[in-house]
Amino acid sequence: KQWYQRRVPITAGDGIEPLFDTFFGFLRRKTDFYGGAQKNLAQTLVLNSFKKHMDEFVKDKKSKEESDHYEKPIEKVEPGTLEEITTEGAKAATPLKSTAPPKKQPVEELSKPIDETALEEGEESEKGKLQPNNENGATYANYSFTQTLEELEIKVPLKVDFKVKSRDLKVDIKDKSLSVGLKGQEPIVNGELFNKILTDEAMWHLDENSVVLTLEKFNKVEWWGTVIKGDPEISTKKVQPENSKLGDLDGETRSMVEKMMYDQRQKAAGKPTSDDQKKADTMGKFMEQHPEMDFSNCKWG
């Protein structure tokens, strides 16, 4: 896994000789390397190959040390002072505290329930739900999220007093579940997702000791009430569709979103929605075609 990030430590005393013995034994048994036309060049070829890769190693090392992003290896310490993490399930080592502690993250105000006195007719089911923030999401004690119709951005603060690195984290993203936390500790966010996502498009990164995840929704024409099922939900009837970039949507999806936006404005103004208007137009045509029928006692709606 990612060999370019982690070298296998091998020295002369670590048993490299059997590897060489196997390789040169193969050449002896299966090739004419030692007795062919170039038998006098065999040793020269081996030494030249060694020198070539030694020069490349020195060049790469020098280039990395000159890079601003080069991370110097941790100095060797006495046995027992560091605990190695060998598997995902292993106990986490005590993190080394940085001489420069991370910046304090601003405390975000938690989302509050919607004002039930402002609920409109037919919105009784929204009682007890949260008021969406400016980006159609919410802020909880352990994470916050924003959303468009197509994707979510989730921010998980890591409330620790040391500089966290990617290797300290355990992030597990599946199409219907999510787990985020520090290795060896209980997850900060953990549970079944509100709905399905596309795992191939999922991304995450560290930002000032917070894990920031970008998840693409499987269904791109719906608003999520929350990220993790069981967490308090926002009122999706109070979201602002205008925050979504309509120009980025395909024709069919854009039409659906524009219809949602229109219906929301109509309901807010106490006017009929597009579906209500369609029903009224259909009934009006039917009445015109059947003047012999009495519709005076019919109840519409």
Side-chain angles (χ1 to χ4, degrees):
K1 293 181 179 180
Q2 297 186 347
W3 295 106
Y4 62 91
Q5 290 184 349
R6 184 178 301 171
R7 292 183 182 276
V8 179
I10 296 178
T11 62
D14 288 337
I16 191 65
E17 292 92 341
L19 176 62
F20 286 146
D21 190 57
T22 300
F23 175 68
F24 287 112
F26 170 81
L27 294 178
R28 174 177 56 80
R29 296 190 311 272
K30 302 293 184 179
T31 73
D32 62 351
F33 180 74
Y34 299 103
Q38 294 184 334
K39 62 181 179 181
N40 295 329
L41 295 177
Q43 187 174 3
T44 302
L45 290 172
V46 172
L47 292 175
N48 286 346
S49 181
F50 171 82
K51 185 177 184 305
K52 171 188 173 183
H53 290 285
M54 173 60 81
D55 292 343
E56 288 292 331
F57 169 78
V58 173
K59 180 180 177 182
D60 291 345
K61 184 178 179 182
K62 184 178 178 181
S63 176
K64 287 181 180 179
E65 289 175 346
E66 292 174 351
S67 170
D68 292 337
H69 303 289
Y70 175 68
E71 185 178 323
K72 292 184 178 179
I74 299 174
E75 293 182 6
K76 193 172 183 180
V77 296
E78 292 300 319
T81 59
L82 281 182
E83 185 175 343
E84 183 183 3
I85 300 173
T86 55
T87 65
E88 283 191 345
K91 183 179 177 182
T94 302
L96 299 175
K97 291 187 178 181
S98 170
T99 53
K103 296 179 183 177
K104 263 195 171 182
Q105 301 180 55
V107 179
E108 296 184 63
E109 185 178 356
L110 301 183
S111 295
K112 298 177 180 178
I114 58 176
D115 181 4
E116 295 184 2
T117 62
L119 291 175
E120 301 174 9
E121 185 178 350
E123 292 186 343
E124 291 79 9
S125 61
E126 302 305 290
K127 287 182 179 180
K129 292 187 177 181
L130 302 177
Q131 177 68 36
N133 59 28
N134 293 334
E135 295 182 85
N136 301 326
T139 300
Y140 304 103
N142 55 336
Y143 73 94
S144 62
F145 81 97
T146 61
Q147 66 175 319
T148 65
L149 276 171
E150 293 188 312
E151 67 180 24
L152 304 109
E153 182 172 285
I154 305 160
K155 186 176 182 180
V156 184
L158 304 168
K159 300 174 183 178
V160 292
D161 60 356
F162 60 91
K163 184 69 173 178
V164 177
K165 297 184 178 180
S166 298
R167 62 170 176 258
D168 300 322
L169 297 169
K170 184 176 180 181
V171 179
D172 186 18
I173 304 173
K174 296 180 180 176
D175 61 346
K176 294 183 180 179
S177 66
L178 175 67
S179 180
V180 180
L182 291 164
K183 287 181 178 178
Q185 299 184 19
E186 287 295 315
I188 302 170
V189 175
N190 185 45
E192 183 180 357
L193 289 170
F194 187 80
N195 219 323
K196 190 176 179 181
I197 64 165
L198 299 174
T199 53
D200 289 344
E201 305 300 326
M203 298 182 293
W204 67 270
H205 67 277
L206 267 173
D207 181 20
E208 293 294 341
N209 265 23
S210 288
V211 181
V212 180
L213 306 99
T214 303
L215 307 180
E216 186 171 330
K217 299 176 182 177
F218 181 80
N219 183 351
K220 296 180 174 57
V221 290
E222 69 170 354
W223 299 106
W224 284 28
T226 185
V227 175
I228 301 296
K229 283 187 177 180
D231 289 346
E233 295 185 21
I234 63 170
S235 172
T236 54
K237 292 185 179 180
K238 300 296 182 182
V239 300
Q240 301 296 323
E242 288 81 359
N243 287 352
S244 295
K245 298 179 181 179
L246 296 180
D248 294 340
L249 304 177
D250 59 74
E252 183 179 357
T253 304
R254 178 168 179 166
S255 297
M256 294 180 67
V257 175
E258 289 176 338
K259 179 179 179 296
M260 286 172 56
M261 293 167 59
Y262 174 79
D263 288 344
Q264 189 177 43
R265 287 193 295 266
Q266 288 292 98
K267 286 184 69 175
K271 297 179 180 179
T273 63
S274 56
D275 289 337
D276 294 335
Q277 291 175 340
K278 187 175 181 180
K279 290 177 184 177
D281 292 342
T282 301
M283 185 54 65
K285 290 179 181 179
F286 183 80
M287 291 170 65
E288 288 179 3
Q289 294 171 0
H290 300 277
E292 74 282 1
M293 298 179 68
D294 182 12
F295 296 96
S296 57
N297 294 323
C298 290
K299 293 183 180 180
W300 314 109

